[in-house]
Amino acid sequence: MAQTQTGSFKTSKKKIPVEVQKRRPVYFAIIVVGLILAGIVQNVLAPARNKEQDEGHEMRALGGLNNEFLLLPLLGFRQAAAGLLWVRCDEFFDSGDYDAILPLVRVITYLDPHDTNVYITGAWHMSYNFTDSQERSDRRYIYPSQALLEEGIKNNEYTPDVKFEKGWECFDKIKNFSLAQEGFEEAIATKPLKGTDYYPYGAPLKTYHILAHTYEKEGRIPEAIAEWRQALAISSYFLKKNGGTEEKDFSDYTMQQAEKHNLGENIWRYQDRYLTKPHTPVNTSNYPGVLWPFGGAGKPAPWDVHLTAHIQVIRPKVLKFTGTFNSADGARVDVLIEDWDYKPHIDKNSTTAFAVDPHQTILMDSISVRKDTFDREMDMSKDPKMYNFSHDYYRIVVSFDPRTTAPFVQDRFGWNGEGLTDGQPGHVSIDPTEATFGTKFMNGFGGVGPVWDGKTAPWNQFGQPDHRVMVTFKVSLQQMLGEKPITNANIVPNKIMPLGPDMER
Amino acid sequence: MSVIYAVAHQTVREALRRRIMWIFLIIGVFLIALGPVFGFLSPRDSLVILKSLGLAAILLAGLFTTIVTCIYLIPVEIDRRTIYTVLSKPVQRYQFVLGKFIGGFFTVFINIAAMGIVFLVMLYFQMGHHLAPDMVEGVVLTFFQLMLLAALSIFFSTFATPVVNFFLSFGIFMVGNLTSVTDTLTTSKSPIAALAGRIIYYLLPQFGNFNIMNSLIHPGQNITNMQVYIRNCIVYAIIYSSVLLAIAILIFDSREV
């Protein structure tokens, strides 16, 4: 057969034509030089790729994937596979199959760690959508939800979206305003990215708004005022850029109106609550609101909220809360029921990372106060998956936090609860966590450091702790099951339980 | 050159006559056309999915087109014994291998170009009559990624049967897609793992270099200098393909057919 080919052959065993043999060194040279050049180009290419590719993220991702999900990423279709799975998630949302969504969210974030919407929606889903038969959220999901957001922030430093969501969850769901502040500040500190609607700023205007609200919740009014002024400057910039009128830029125009209103309201509230003048019609007295909370009483005196709480076990795991809280209508008292040694469940680096511990029990709710009394039945018997009651002891806390209450109630008590007290001194608990301290507006009330001068903003000196009113019970499993009554003998000294998942309990 | 052109021309004609080529093309276009179905998602989501799915469809259809085309190019000539007729003419073996490679590569080009145009036109309408020039970069790099794969398949086809070649090409494509994993391995604390990482990283073609989907679909995930990066990827593809073809020619030259 070889004889039919072009060229002559040497009489060697392999019968390789002479001219081919002559060309061989050239081929070898091409191969050696080519491989060296390819190696050099490869070394140039590697650092040019975005840093995320270099941190072994794919390694972790592949380690966390089930076999059936491995093939697509191996072929280089990670993002496409993630997109298709996200579509599947959407179907599960529609059909209400909420449990099926979590493993998919885990896999999608492994496949495409830059799809911020998956982190945001996944975290929201965990925090809000798993509820008991009385629509109370399953609080065991708070930790995995926050962990997912932290992971999303780590993988997407360039966008404020996930940072904002972390702040929002802490603000709206967890009610830990110092953590919320951290999230919003992180979002605002994002490096501005050309092409975004909010360039040359790092985050949308709404982030500045919610940060100002957060400062207000923390009792840090000078910072809230400074933030509203900053927001006003930003909305003015965009309004000017987009034509300067309501018709041409309705969005920024309305945002600016809200900023002006909220800034004014912050200042009025500060004056009403902490100064002798000037007052709005809300406080017609000559006293600061927090010193004269009764409005009509002869002389200033703190308001005794007189919190009492009684718990009756109607049926096993069905508790009826009754009590008094003298704050006038509109206030709400919070209820926490949890394992005495409750700690957030952690299960990292697996597709079951979002699984909650089925043996843990935690419930958080609030009860509205009507005519100084409250009354509410909490049924945990219908949701054994959420309320397993497999521990020997439980903590039940009935409390009131002035920082989470409505502004008209705060008008009497102040942002930090300066104007309230309780006939039972042990009921008033001061949160010693420095990160939660507000601004000191008046002397007294347990605050330290200088009183705000009423002008400098931001003030950046915080010394006023939050004053909560609490009653804590330590209850045994037998009592939860109704085998023994819960009495005042179960009341124990209060301990502020931090609500943030990364705060040690 | 005219000899190489003649072999390439014949290869393209023959490849385009095969129905499987058109089937892959139709599947690719169908997958791309499915994109707008995800309009029910939020606008950002639907665009991300549309882009990632479109680029993935082009790569997937192109991948199978390339492998299925290139693994048969040389073995089929040997099996049918038509290679004797070709090599009895004044055709050198290296010209035959290069002609086959260029023919296969041009077939892949036709395929990718067709799907790329459909993809870009669809994006144009989906994005409210706006062009997406960054997606052209994605399509171009996919094309050069598949050029490298074509050279790899041609290389294997000089000594392996089509079935073995299919699995070899497919397997190396998968390993080569784990560029960042092997990159991490090179700095491993374990000397064995680091050595294995270096061997894979420098000796195997790194197909993962060409995957820039992250930067294309996620704002902010920019590669340091996209134009330079693309140019370097193209240079890498050309150099590595040349190496593979040189080895293929060496083997084919020594082979009794």
Side-chain angles (χ1 to χ4, degrees), chain A residues 12 86 89 201 257 293 346 365 386 401 431 435-436 445 448 464:
Chain A
S12 68
W86 190 229
C89 267
Y201 296 94
Q257 296 309 305
I346 305 164
D365 204 347
M386 263 177 77
D401 184 352
D431 188 343
T436 66
F445 310 109
V448 291
Q464 188 60 59

Side-chain angles (χ1 to χ4, degrees), chain A residues 61-121:
Chain A
L62 294 174
L65 283 176
N66 293 335
N67 292 337
E68 61 266 33
F69 294 116
L70 265 172
L71 186 64
L72 284 170
L74 283 176
L75 289 174
F77 301 130
R78 285 166 45 213
Q79 292 81 1
L84 289 172
L85 288 173
W86 190 229
V87 172
R88 187 86 182 108
C89 267
D90 200 77
E91 290 167 14
F92 286 140
F93 271 119
D94 287 345
S95 61
D97 191 355
Y98 292 158
D99 288 320
I101 292 167
L102 293 185
L104 278 183
V105 166
R106 179 67 288 174
V107 171
I108 295 167
T109 51
Y110 276 151
L111 287 170
D112 186 358
H114 303 299
D115 197 337
T116 52
N117 212 15
V118 179
Y119 291 104
I120 292 168
T121 313

Side-chain angles (χ1 to χ4, degrees), chain B residues 32-50:
Chain B
I32 294 167
L34 264 183
V37 171
F38 303 117
F40 61 85
L41 295 167
S42 69
R44 186 179 176 278
D45 275 348
S46 67
L47 207 59
V48 165
I49 291 176
L50 191 70

Side-chain angles (χ1 to χ4, degrees), chain A residues 189-375:
Chain A
T190 308
K191 192 179 168 190
L193 188 67
K194 274 187 184 173
T196 54
D197 292 341
Y198 39 87
Y199 186 80
Y201 296 94
L205 191 52
K206 67 174 181 181
T207 320
Y208 295 82
H209 284 211
I210 194 69
L211 178 59
H213 285 303
T214 307
Y215 282 136
E216 192 185 352
K217 289 283 186 191
E218 290 180 281
R220 291 171 55 173
I221 302 312
E223 282 64 38
I225 287 172
E227 207 56 39
W228 285 122
R229 287 182 180 145
Q230 166 74 359
L232 267 169
I234 297 170
S235 61
S236 300
Y237 167 81
F238 283 115
L239 202 54
K240 191 177 170 190
K241 190 179 155 194
N242 298 330
T245 61
E246 181 181 357
E247 290 74 23
K248 287 185 178 168
D249 187 0
F250 182 72
S251 167
D252 285 312
Y253 176 81
T254 48
M255 291 289 260
Q256 194 173 70
Q257 296 309 305
E259 286 152 8
K260 286 176 182 169
H261 169 266
N262 291 341
L263 174 63
E265 202 167 58
N266 265 194
I267 294 166
W268 291 342
R269 281 177 181 158
Y270 163 69
Q271 290 168 347
D272 271 357
R273 294 172 188 179
Y274 298 96
L275 301 183
T276 49
K277 56 183 182 178
H279 286 170
T280 69
V282 172
N283 181 3
T284 52
S285 76
N286 291 322
Y287 298 106
V290 298
L291 294 186
W292 197 66
F294 282 95
K299 58 178 183 177
W303 185 302
D304 182 357
V305 291
H306 190 62
L307 174 66
T308 61
H310 307 285
I311 306 167
Q312 185 189 353
V313 183
I314 297 172
R315 294 186 302 280
K317 304 177 189 175
V318 181
L319 273 55
K320 186 180 167 116
F321 289 83
T322 53
T324 59
F325 186 72
N326 175 27
S327 73
D329 286 356
R332 296 184 77 86
V333 291
D334 301 313
V335 172
L336 165 72
I337 304 171
E338 64 176 8
D339 301 329
W340 186 257
D341 54 353
Y342 182 84
K343 275 195 174 121
H345 175 66
I346 305 164
D347 181 10
K348 284 183 176 170
N349 295 326
S350 75
T351 47
T352 55
F354 304 138
V356 292
D357 185 346
H359 303 298
Q360 287 187 323
T361 297
I362 182 167
L363 173 150
M364 288 174 82
D365 204 347
S366 63
I367 310 172
S368 63
V369 178
R370 292 278 178 270
K371 294 181 181 171
D372 299 343
T373 61
F374 59 90
D375 182 341

Side-chain angles (χ1 to χ4, degrees), chain B residues 202-217:
Chain B
Y202 290 111
L203 280 187
L204 291 188
Q206 293 303 315
F207 290 101
N209 286 339
F210 301 86
N211 186 351
I212 54 166
M213 208 185 280
N214 253 338
S215 325
L216 295 180
I217 63 176

Side-chain angles (χ1 to χ4, degrees), chain A residues 2 5 22 36 76 82 110 114 163 170 176 185 194-196 207 234 293 330 339 350 399 414 425 478-479 487 503:
Chain A
Q5 292 173 8
K22 280 181 187 167
I36 292 168
Y110 276 151
H114 303 299
K163 299 166 194 168
C170 292
N176 185 324
E185 283 178 343
K194 274 187 184 173
T196 54
T207 320
I234 297 170
D339 301 329
S350 75
S399 64
Q478 285 79 13
Q479 288 174 303
T487 65
M503 296 175 84

